[in-house]
Amino acid sequence: MESSKFVTAVLHQFAESLGNAIDAKDPYTSSHSEEVAEVSHTLALSMGMSPREADIIHVAGHLHDIGKIGVPDSVLIKKGPLNAGEWQAVRKHPLVGADILRPVAALSSLGIVGMVLHHHERFDGTGYPSRLKGAAIPIGARIIALADSLSAMLQDRPYRATKGFDAACEEIVRCSGKQFDPSVVSAFEKSAGKILSTMSLLSSPGKK
Ligand SMILES: [Fe+2]
Ligand SMILES: [Fe+2]
């Protein structure tokens, strides 16, 4: 294997490993990071990105929530609404994640740190941590934002019923131009069948 391919492969393996570590903290989010990585990859290809660009966004998908390592477990698994202080702790996780990843020069130069930092921005500029709007949000972060919400809507939570895939799709389309980039939503509508089968495979018994 040539050396740049080796570095990329090792980067991906470490990203998957760290994503698994963060998912292990929360019994309700098994495979969440991997789902986000896989769905983001499919969306990137559906938008016409190159396989390399899709692979980079895939790695960022594995790592997107690594900053939750800095959120107390009691907050992560709390049933019911969070108080103001708890929300503040949760809302720091993109910043904490970027700080954790920044020492890995390749993650910075490939734009992965920026994708992690901005994965909770909203297309209409009302997200966090920077209230970036539209094209100012890195495209990888706009893709991960949609994949993250889809995965979250389909996960069992102790305090709300899981949405079915069709209801989750409707919600995503409803939020086009507000929470999500319309071009990412279009790519999602084009590739929804493929995404559903990928997610079904990931959640099938015996996968983990
Ligand atoms: Fe992966
Ligand atoms: Fe997050």
Side-chain angles (χ1 to χ4, degrees):
M1 197 184 291
E2 73 180 74
S3 70
S4 72
K5 279 198 180 145
F6 175 75
V7 170
T8 310
V10 171
L11 211 56
H12 173 231
Q13 287 160 2
F14 264 111
E16 183 172 339
S17 168
L18 288 171
N20 288 350
I22 199 68
D23 287 351
K25 273 169 72 78
D26 183 344
Y28 298 101
T29 60
S30 72
S31 299
H32 171 67
S33 299
E34 188 168 7
E35 274 184 8
V36 171
E38 294 295 342
V39 172
S40 298
H41 185 260
T42 302
L43 287 172
L45 291 178
S46 174
M47 291 181 76
M49 293 187 171
S50 69
R52 177 172 159 76
E53 287 170 318
D55 285 348
I56 291 168
I57 294 170
H58 176 89
V59 168
H62 277 302
L63 294 169
H64 75 287
D65 266 349
I66 189 65
K68 283 192 174 169
I69 207 150
V71 179
D73 288 359
S74 58
V75 175
L76 279 184
I77 60 169
K78 186 177 175 184
K79 297 176 187 179
L82 303 180
N83 65 36
E86 290 164 343
W87 262 120
Q88 210 180 9
V90 169
R91 287 166 70 99
K92 274 191 193 153
H93 81 270
L95 291 157
V96 174
D99 286 345
I100 289 171
L101 301 176
R102 207 169 276 118
V104 185
L107 295 178
S108 288
S109 63
L110 292 171
I112 290 170
V113 171
M115 294 179 208
V116 170
L117 178 60
H118 295 298
H119 77 276
H120 281 286
E121 306 289 356
R122 293 170 54 113
F123 195 71
D124 62 7
T126 62
Y128 63 90
S130 308
R131 295 178 73 89
L132 296 184
K133 192 172 179 176
I137 305 165
I139 183 62
R142 281 178 264 151
I143 288 173
I144 289 169
L146 190 154
D148 187 20
S149 291
L150 176 67
S151 172
M153 282 191 270
L154 299 177
Q155 295 267 346
D156 289 323
R157 303 302 300 177
Y159 49 86
R160 60 147 172 79
T162 308
K163 268 196 204 306
F165 189 78
D166 289 346
C169 291
E170 278 172 30
E171 177 70 6
I172 284 168
V173 171
R174 196 181 64 75
C175 295
S176 180
K178 292 175 256 180
Q179 185 172 355
F180 305 120
D181 179 344
S183 66
V184 182
V185 174
S186 296
F188 170 68
E189 289 182 285
K190 264 197 289 176
S191 53
K194 185 166 190 244
I195 287 171
L196 175 59
S197 53
T198 302
M199 294 179 94
S200 305
L201 274 178
L202 285 175
S203 60
S204 61
K207 166 65 187 64
K208 285 221 164 157

